[in-house]
Amino acid sequence: MTVVKDSGARAPLPPFGEEHEELRETVARFVAAEIAPHVDEWESSREFPRELYRRCAELGFLGLKFPEAYGGQGGTHLHDAVWVEELAHSGGSGGVAAGLNAHTSIAMPPIFNFGSEEQKQRWLVPGIAGAKIGALGITEPGAGSDVASITTNARRDGDTYIVNGAKTFITNGVRADFLVCACKTTEDGGRGGISFLVLEREMPGYVVSRKLEKMGWHSSDTGELSFTDVEVPAENLLGEENGGFKLIMANFAWERLLMSIGAVGAMRRLIETTVAYALDREAFGRPIGKFQAIRHQIAEMATEAEAARAQTYDALRLFHEGRECIREVSMSKLLTQRAALRIADQSLQIHGGYGYMREYGIERAVRDARLGPIGGGTDEIMKEIIGKTMGL
Ligand SMILES: Cc1cc2nc3c(=O)[nH]c(=O)nc-3n(C[C@H](O)[C@H](O)[C@H](O)COP(=O)(O)OP(=O)(O)OC[C@H]3O[C@@H](n4cnc5c(N)ncnc54)[C@H](O)[C@@H]3O)c2cc1C
């Protein structure tokens, strides 16, 4: 029987078409040549170079879904999905993907969707050019899943807001030039009392208090930030005052989808690597992949990955068509993150002792995948959302 490789030579799967597959090839070539060879070094130094944003911008990857008028490529979320999947598939680093995608797909969309023309010129244009790096600040030491309970507050004082509070677990929090920051703008806060302000790192009182050490995603920075009487001009208000909860919810859909798509790419990589290893590694006089136990294990891994991909692509299709998709996106997030973690662990088992060693990248895949069921809304929150859409 011939082994058919999954990546590359395949017919486009909906919602993708030929032009997306061409982009896929381009991204894969770039990531394999300019990212993958450096991942070990960046993981050890706990940071990928800032220059990488510039390089990705130069090739158009930071602005795939944004209009040409702002320096983007004028594409859609489908082009961005190709970038996200192939970055995970060919790059093999959750940290690099997190650092790049937190900027392009979490911090910049609120500016594009809710910002004024002047705000787009200030942050979106340099963001797409890789000259300014953004982060999104919602989570606080005392408020994660319960986003409506944030306490960082912004008190209006004439033409400025005075911001006090703290944020934690912020991807790009250390290196970000601007922070799209959720603040309480009424006494009570909550759903009707949250607004978004864009804070800039040079503002007095804006302090990066810590770079956090974590289990995986080593090459991305995760910061803790504190704000003491930070004076933020009222013109930095994004969208309507007290309309921030809507912005949070709008952003979550794409963030969760991109995490799902990234997991799809990571699973493809793991299965390809594991099949190759199982054909190469011998024990008891034959390749380990020829033992039925291993063959069945890999068959199950591939089936689970394929089911997760099909479900995710379907959620992506609904999102792209502008249809209601909160249930499908939440299902994708729930399904893919656990599947990626399970498949990474099974892949490590098949690699034996070599899987446990750093040089194979499999142990990193396990550590990186562990974040999936927590970040961007936990598994438990996904189940709550899915249950509610079913009237429960
Ligand atoms: C590496 C990393 C990067 C991150 N990047 C960002 C970022 O860039 N910006 C940002 O704003 N945030 C970021 N986060 C934060 C992330 O979104 C939160 O960690 C996540 O939403 C969970 O919040 P929490 O950690 O406070 O957990 P908690 O909300 O305290 O939850 C603890 C546990 O209780 C469970 N739980 C909570 N409520 C319920 C419920 N109603 N029913 C059942 N179980 C429940 C949770 O599922 C979880 O298991 C990042 C986190 C990490 C680890």
Side-chain angles (χ1 to χ4, degrees), residues 222-267:
T222 308
E224 194 172 83
L225 308 169
S226 81
F227 317 117
T228 309
D229 293 330
V230 182
E231 288 186 27
V232 183
E235 68 203 29
N236 287 25
L237 174 73
L238 214 51
E240 288 169 24
E241 193 177 61
N242 299 323
F245 199 74
K246 190 177 71 181
L247 189 150
I248 295 179
M249 292 302 130
N251 227 37
F252 269 149
W254 182 240
E255 177 177 358
R256 289 168 183 166
L257 252 181
L258 83 87
M259 286 184 72
S260 307
I261 295 159
V264 166
M267 287 187 277

Side-chain angles (χ1 to χ4, degrees), residues 50-375:
R50 202 179 157 102
E51 179 51 32
L52 184 61
Y53 288 99
R54 280 252 189 224
R55 179 66 182 139
C56 293
E58 202 174 87
L59 298 171
F61 297 140
L62 301 190
L64 287 167
K65 62 182 172 306
F66 297 119
E68 289 173 19
Y70 301 112
Q73 302 300 305
T76 69
H77 283 90
L78 295 184
H79 297 90
D80 220 27
V82 168
W83 157 254
V84 169
E85 185 180 332
E86 223 40 58
L87 185 57
H89 173 242
S90 302
S93 164
V96 174
L100 293 173
N101 295 335
H103 171 60
T104 55
S105 287
I106 304 179
M108 289 203 288
I111 294 173
F112 175 63
N113 290 323
F114 299 95
S116 64
E117 192 50 38
E118 195 254 333
Q119 291 172 332
K120 287 175 190 164
Q121 293 299 331
R122 275 175 73 191
W123 299 299
L124 184 67
V125 171
I128 291 172
K132 279 189 181 171
I133 309 306
L136 178 74
I138 298 176
T139 308
E140 299 185 351
S145 303
D146 185 7
V147 289
S149 70
I150 60 163
T151 57
T152 292
N153 70 83
R155 180 175 50 81
R156 184 82 188 233
D157 183 14
D159 285 344
T160 57
Y161 287 95
I162 312 294
V163 177
N164 284 282
K167 297 286 171 186
T168 195
F169 304 154
I170 306 306
T171 304
N172 292 344
V174 179
R175 63 168 35 147
D177 301 294
F178 63 90
L179 176 76
V180 178
C181 184
C183 305
K184 216 171 79 158
T185 32
T186 62
E187 193 62 31
D188 294 337
R191 287 170 183 243
I194 292 174
S195 308
F196 270 84
L197 292 172
V198 182
L199 274 58
E200 291 168 301
R201 65 174 299 128
E202 63 274 11
M203 289 175 168
Y206 180 119
V207 173
V208 177
S209 18
R210 261 199 312 158
K211 180 172 177 173
L212 299 165
E213 275 295 325
K214 49 196 189 295
M215 176 179 178
W217 283 22
H218 285 169
S219 47
S220 70
D221 82 62
T222 308
E224 194 172 83
L225 308 169
S226 81
F227 317 117
T228 309
D229 293 330
V230 182
E231 288 186 27
V232 183
E235 68 203 29
N236 287 25
L237 174 73
L238 214 51
E240 288 169 24
E241 193 177 61
N242 299 323
F245 199 74
K246 190 177 71 181
L247 189 150
I248 295 179
M249 292 302 130
N251 227 37
F252 269 149
W254 182 240
E255 177 177 358
R256 289 168 183 166
L257 252 181
L258 83 87
M259 286 184 72
S260 307
I261 295 159
V264 166
M267 287 187 277
R268 281 175 52 212
R269 178 187 183 85
L270 282 162
I271 287 163
E272 287 169 13
T273 309
T274 307
V275 168
Y277 188 79
L279 288 171
D280 185 57
R281 177 73 176 173
E282 295 199 354
F284 300 96
R286 68 175 86 163
I288 59 168
K290 298 293 179 187
F291 291 114
Q292 192 184 50
I294 302 270
R295 192 162 60 231
H296 284 196
Q297 175 92 71
I298 295 175
E300 280 185 19
M301 289 159 65
T303 305
E304 184 170 20
E306 195 52 44
R309 168 158 71 179
Q311 202 280 334
T312 298
Y313 282 10
D314 194 48
L316 175 63
R317 176 185 63 80
L318 294 175
F319 179 87
H320 176 64
E321 290 172 359
R323 294 173 191 263
E324 181 57 51
C325 59
I326 183 167
R327 182 192 319 188
E328 289 76 9
V329 168
S330 309
M331 286 175 167
S332 293
K333 168 81 173 49
L334 180 63
L335 180 64
T336 52
Q337 307 306 304
R338 279 286 162 194
L341 180 58
R342 230 177 351 257
I343 286 173
D345 185 56
Q346 289 166 338
S347 174
L348 192 150
Q349 184 68 19
I350 292 169
H351 278 75
Y354 290 98
Y356 198 70
M357 299 299 136
R358 290 251 149 132
E359 63 198 271
Y360 278 72
I362 303 292
E363 60 82 41
R364 179 169 68 237
V366 177
R367 289 186 286 105
D368 285 353
R370 189 60 190 88
L371 190 267
I374 299 170

